[in-house]
Amino acid sequence: MRGHTHALDRALVVHSVDCDIGEPVLDDSTAPQLRQYTDEIENVRVLYLVTALRTVVVAAYVKVCQGSLNHARWD
């Protein structure tokens, strides 16, 4: 469990520095836009929204224990 907490903490720190670090999930320019951030070192993917006030709202946090995130499907 400690490893999961460390991975989530790391992802949240990245977002606190730059909330636009991820990429859009859909080609929709309406706000708030659903975005995703992938950390290959920790094998995590975070789906999040950035509000008009630049607040990050985490919608999902996924930790992949085996394999690569490149093979995960999100559609």
Side-chain angles (χ1 to χ4, degrees):
M1 183 70 169
R2 187 173 188 94
H4 296 289
T5 303
H6 178 267
L8 178 58
D9 285 345
R10 178 180 160 97
L12 293 177
V13 167
V14 168
H15 285 90
S16 71
V17 173
D18 182 9
C19 61
D20 292 323
I21 193 165
E23 57 192 34
V25 173
L26 302 172
D27 292 332
D28 184 12
S29 61
T30 60
Q33 186 179 44
L34 183 63
R35 302 177 68 84
Q36 67 179 344
Y37 167 74
T38 303
D39 183 337
E40 292 291 336
I41 295 171
E42 295 287 347
N43 282 337
V44 298
R45 183 173 286 177
V46 178
L47 296 174
Y48 65 98
L49 302 162
V50 179
T51 68
L53 297 175
R54 311 301 295 159
T55 303
V56 174
V57 178
V58 175
Y61 161 76
V62 178
K63 170 81 173 156
V64 177
C65 296
Q66 294 180 354
S68 172
L69 288 172
N70 293 331
H71 300 291
R73 290 188 48 113
W74 290 91
D75 46 16

